[in-house]
Amino acid sequence: MTPVIEAVPEEIYDIELEHSLLEANAKIARANRTLLDEHGITAVDVMGAIGSGKTTLITRLVERLKNWIGVAVFNGDATVANDTELIASQGVPVVQIATVNGCHLDANLVDKALKKIDLKGIDLILIENIGNLICPAEFPLGSRSRMVVVSVTEGPWMVKKHPHMFLGSDVVVINKTDLADAMGVDVEQLVRDVHTLKPSIHVVRASCKTGEGLDEIAALLAPQKASRDA
Ligand code: MG
Ligand code: ZN
């Protein structure tokens, strides 16, 4: 007898719901992008697992950039209460975004955050996404660039395990390189893994401890200013 698979109505409904959710998100993301472009603002969606070092990296980048350009930070991943305060202590506008789902930021939340700050004088917004390497990839926010932070402490398979996250990004930071030897992780293999997936990704080897790579990332995020100063 030929096996028959019958669609369950709830399942169809779920798929349609998800599709329309992603469509609605993409539409708001386009509107966010238009608004940002009108103000000459570059937004960067900073993604990466919990513990990859996103908050510390953002803090170091803000330190480097805030006297050059107008920087703001949206923090969607305040894993400890003082994450937001740490960044706010830099004297730049910070908006903390609390999600209901706890697993990704969406364009609607970013739209609301954009309404909380004065966009005049802002050149760059760093958006710290939630520490999750799965669904943030599906929810564009309207950013011009998507950066994935992957730390050597996450082991040697992070890139191979999460291809979608890397395929959708244009900058990858291999973070905590100072711990690579202790972790037995080959940084150059991670770089090769990224480039095997997508050769055009700009990969930066970085450490917030030694300072490796931080100026390079800062220059990538503020290219106009960097070239003006060069
Ligand atoms: Mg964080
Ligand atoms: Zn999610």
Side-chain angles (χ1 to χ4, degrees):
M1 216 171 104
T2 309
V4 177
I5 297 171
E6 277 183 304
V8 179
E10 289 85 345
E11 283 181 5
I12 297 170
Y13 180 70
D14 277 356
I15 292 164
E16 286 181 350
L17 183 68
E18 190 189 357
H19 181 71
S20 63
L21 186 73
L22 293 176
E23 287 268 286
N25 182 78
K27 193 176 169 198
I28 301 170
R30 286 193 293 273
N32 287 348
R33 179 60 184 275
T34 301
L35 178 71
L36 290 162
D37 285 349
E38 279 167 8
H39 286 82
I41 298 170
T42 298
V44 180
D45 183 1
V46 182
M47 306 179 291
I50 292 172
S52 59
K54 298 185 295 300
T55 307
T56 305
L57 179 66
I58 287 170
T59 306
R60 295 285 173 274
L61 293 171
V62 169
E63 279 169 8
R64 279 170 168 72
L65 291 166
K66 67 180 182 183
N67 296 324
W68 275 11
I69 58 172
V71 188
V73 177
F74 295 168
N75 188 345
D77 194 37
T79 42
V80 292
N82 60 8
D83 268 2
T84 304
E85 287 155 39
L86 181 72
I87 298 169
S89 71
Q90 300 280 324
V92 301
V94 179
V95 180
Q96 186 173 334
I97 303 176
T99 62
V100 175
N101 62 57
C103 65
H104 62 267
L105 286 184
D106 62 44
N108 183 48
L109 290 166
V110 169
D111 168 52
K112 287 181 177 172
L114 286 168
K115 290 176 172 126
K116 293 280 182 205
I117 60 168
D118 184 0
L119 297 177
K120 286 193 205 77
I122 300 293
D123 304 297
L124 175 71
I125 301 176
L126 298 172
I127 305 171
E128 181 176 349
N129 214 314
I130 291 183
N132 173 355
L133 283 173
I134 312 291
C135 50
E138 299 232 43
F139 288 84
L141 306 178
S143 64
R144 190 179 299 171
S145 175
R146 303 192 95 184
M147 181 164 90
V148 181
V149 182
V150 57
S151 156
V152 300
T153 55
E154 295 164 66
W157 309 113
M158 287 304 282
V159 178
K160 285 180 171 159
K161 278 183 183 171
H162 302 95
H164 292 292
M165 204 67 181
F166 293 91
L167 287 169
S169 69
D170 40 78
V171 179
V172 170
V173 175
I174 312 275
N175 201 19
K176 308 189 190 180
T177 52
D178 56 292
L179 297 174
D181 285 346
M183 293 301 300
V185 170
D186 180 358
V187 170
E188 296 315 308
Q189 183 59 50
L190 288 173
V191 175
R192 284 194 294 275
D193 289 348
V194 172
H195 283 149
T196 300
L197 277 174
K198 187 177 170 185
S200 64
I201 296 182
H202 195 118
V203 181
V204 184
R205 300 151 184 83
S207 163
C208 290
K209 199 150 208 171
T210 66
E212 182 187 11
L214 300 181
D215 289 335
E216 187 182 349
I217 303 167
L220 274 177
L221 298 182
Q224 308 88 340
K225 181 65 183 173
S227 60
R228 205 153 62 217
D229 280 5

